[in-house]
Amino acid sequence: MTPIDFVISLALISVAAGVLGSLIGLGGGVVIVPVLTLLYHVDIRLAIGASIVSVIATSSGAATAYVRERMTNLRAGMFLEIATTTGAVSGAYLTTLLPTRFLFVFFGLVLGYSSFATFRRRHTDKPLTVSKDRIANYFNLHGSYYDPAEQREIPYKVVGTKPGLSLMYVAGLVSALLGIGSGALKVPAMDSAMHLPMKVSSATSNFMIGVTAAASAGVYFVRGQIDPIIAAPVAIGVLVGATFGARVLGRVTSKTVRLVFVIVLVVISIEMLQKGIFP
Amino acid sequence: MTDMHEPTGTPKPSAGEEPDLSAYGLGGSGHRRHLTPEEAAEMEKKVRQVELAISLVLRIGVVVSVAVIAVGLVLMFAHHSAYLPISGHFSFHKLTAQSTPFPHSFSALGSSISHLQGRGIIVLGVLILILTPILRVAVGVISFLYEEDIPMALITLYVLAVLIGSFFLAGA
């Protein structure tokens, strides 16, 4: 495979990664890392660097369409970023202290459970109309969005800010420790613990993963993990895909988004368990 | 007793929180919901303007970074005709191996760009892309100030500080 074949084929795969990532709020890393390591036999360090680029590309590409459609809850996202960025920075200092294999097994199980919890909520996905959560009320984290699939404005209330913040701290920590997209923990935290509607959880996670990834991007750049010949097709492909995926999110139902998310989460969970048990 | 608020203050969020969250006192954003319809409409308009501003910032960042990366790719292939054939013996692995040099410090990046090397220009485009979320948070600080929402502005400022701090911690 010559360099031009590599660049063109990787850009096309990245378009698909961008569509999927922006639809479910996970970032393109879920697709990019296995594709680069298994299909192209690229070094894992460079694959993780490319994954960070793809996460930011998903986030920014999708956001240009999302914010206009007002699905992202910017207030809740910014509020929860306190915990995620703090987690990401503290995780950078814990990397050498914790056994990675144990972490992979542990979070493989955690994600397995959260895929189950997300799946179980598929019939009880009614937005809340009251909230007694004092933090959510104080910062007015509640919101409403226009759902083109249901053709109506859907108001919702937010609860569970404390468990939400704790989970977001863990999400930031894990993404720094294991180099996995923290969206896998962010979406269940917003969906199950804070009762944000599924589409809002996905769109808000999309906003947040970009900010979290930017917090560790400096480290990856200095360590020389961002290789331009890999990053260029990934960035352009994912940006194109994410812009498209963001428009798809409006049209599909919340249930579809939920089911796609659960399937991807199961795959990630198996992948992590495998890395922990048979490294 | 009509307009009394509980004197208990805000309960502290559990993990990873900003230390002085509870010190903001009363007058937080939660009180917005008691505005008159005209004031609420005015606030809605402001929020909409903020959302459009953030959207515009992102759009510009994304378009500029794609353009710069594309120019870098074209230059890279133009300078190295060996990369261009669709079939042949030249494998891309020569370019993705550990030993292949590419700029990963600001000084190396500067000299690479000044020599109009494709790789350096691609890295510049990627760095512009990395900046877009940071820029988005910065616009968030300004827009929450514009909405006169001090608690949210402080939260956003904290996130921005951690983001900028992380770049310095990395030694970039």
Side-chain angles (χ1 to χ4, degrees):
Chain A
M1 191 179 258
T2 62
I4 190 122
D5 300 338
F6 171 75
V7 167
I8 291 171
S9 60
L10 184 57
L12 292 176
I13 294 172
S14 299
V15 173
V19 172
L20 183 70
S22 66
L23 183 66
I24 56 181
L26 285 190
V30 186
V31 178
I32 294 296
V33 173
V35 161
L36 280 174
T37 53
L38 301 177
L39 201 64
Y40 294 106
H41 304 288
V42 166
D43 187 84
I44 181 72
R45 289 176 59 258
L46 296 179
I48 290 175
S51 155
I52 284 282
V53 172
S54 91
V55 168
I56 297 178
T58 311
S59 178
S60 293
T64 53
Y66 279 154
V67 176
R68 251 170 223 276
E69 288 165 22
R70 297 174 53 217
M71 277 185 198
T72 309
N73 186 331
L74 269 182
R75 302 179 71 91
M78 214 60 103
F79 173 75
L80 293 169
E81 270 305 320
I82 296 177
T84 320
T85 46
T86 309
V89 170
S90 46
Y93 289 97
L94 289 174
T95 357
T96 48
L97 293 176
L98 292 163
T100 318
R101 275 188 70 178
F102 163 77
L103 285 172
F104 271 122
V105 174
F106 182 72
F107 285 108
L109 294 173
V110 169
L111 292 186
Y113 172 75
S114 42
S115 64
F116 170 70
T118 313
F119 183 67
R120 210 178 39 188
R121 262 175 57 75
R122 71 197 182 282
H123 296 305
T124 53
D125 195 14
K126 284 263 181 299
L128 296 178
T129 49
V130 282
S131 169
K132 286 184 178 161
D133 190 297
R134 282 155 78 196
I135 303 173
N137 286 333
Y138 178 76
F139 288 108
N140 193 16
L141 303 181
H142 318 295
S144 78
Y145 73 102
Y146 179 75
D147 193 328
E150 296 191 31
Q151 296 191 330
R152 66 188 180 96
E153 185 83 13
I154 300 176
Y156 57 89
K157 297 278 182 187
V158 175
V159 292
T161 45
K162 283 182 192 173
L165 274 177
S166 318
L167 284 168
M168 290 300 169
Y169 179 78
V170 175
L173 201 66
V174 173
S175 71
L177 286 174
L178 301 183
I180 61 148
S182 50
L185 279 171
K186 285 185 173 119
V187 176
M190 284 186 267
D191 174 59
S192 305
M194 302 178 66
H195 285 239
L196 274 101
M198 189 63 193
K199 283 188 184 182
V200 178
S201 301
S202 159
T204 306
S205 167
N206 234 316
F207 160 62
M208 293 176 65
I209 53 174
V211 177
T212 314
S216 45
V219 182
Y220 288 98
F221 170 63
V222 173
R223 284 189 199 150
Q225 284 179 257
I226 297 177
D227 185 343
I229 197 170
I230 304 173
V234 166
I236 293 179
V238 169
L239 279 171
V240 170
T243 315
F244 179 72
R247 286 170 220 291
V248 174
L249 181 74
R251 289 193 220 111
V252 297
T253 62
S254 280
K255 209 167 167 180
T256 311
V257 177
R258 183 180 295 277
L259 289 179
V260 175
F261 177 78
V262 168
I263 293 167
V264 175
L265 207 57
V266 169
V267 172
I268 303 174
S269 146
I270 293 170
E271 225 173 43
M272 291 184 82
L273 285 174
Q274 184 255 323
K275 271 184 196 156
I277 299 167
F278 313 105
Chain B
M1 284 301 286
T2 48
D3 210 1
M4 278 287 286
H5 298 293
E6 307 134 48
T8 43
T10 318
K12 284 198 164 196
S14 49
E17 34 99 47
E18 215 176 3
D20 54 351
L21 274 186
S22 57
Y24 302 153
L26 300 167
S29 16
H31 304 271
R32 291 267 157 69
R33 288 174 298 122
H34 306 298
L35 294 176
T36 65
E38 295 86 55
E39 283 173 316
E42 181 67 22
M43 186 53 65
E44 183 75 9
K45 218 171 115 190
K46 273 190 178 180
V47 171
R48 190 94 189 103
Q49 283 174 345
V50 164
E51 283 174 349
L52 286 176
I54 293 180
S55 182
L56 187 70
V57 166
L58 275 168
R59 217 165 273 232
I60 293 170
V62 164
V63 169
V64 170
S65 90
V66 167
V68 173
I69 292 172
V71 167
L73 265 180
V74 169
L75 277 175
M76 187 174 74
F77 282 109
H79 289 168
H80 305 271
S81 51
Y83 296 0
L84 269 175
I86 291 175
S87 60
H89 300 298
F90 194 92
S91 168
F92 72 91
H93 279 293
K94 282 184 187 153
L95 302 178
T96 58
Q98 286 287 309
S99 53
T100 317
F102 56 83
H104 52 87
S105 70
F106 285 123
S107 53
L109 181 63
S111 85
S112 175
I113 293 170
S114 65
H115 291 96
L116 282 179
Q117 284 174 352
R119 283 190 178 78
I121 292 175
I122 293 174
V123 170
L124 177 70
V126 171
L127 285 181
I128 294 173
L129 184 64
I130 292 173
L131 275 181
T132 53
I134 302 176
L135 210 58
R136 194 174 180 190
V137 175
V139 173
V141 176
I142 298 165
S143 56
F144 283 126
L145 284 176
Y146 174 68
E147 287 178 38
E148 290 167 28
D149 192 337
I150 304 304
M152 279 307 295
L154 285 174
I155 281 181
T156 315
L157 197 63
Y158 170 80
V159 174
L160 185 66
V162 173
L163 280 178
I164 294 171
S166 76
F167 261 82
F168 284 106
L169 283 177

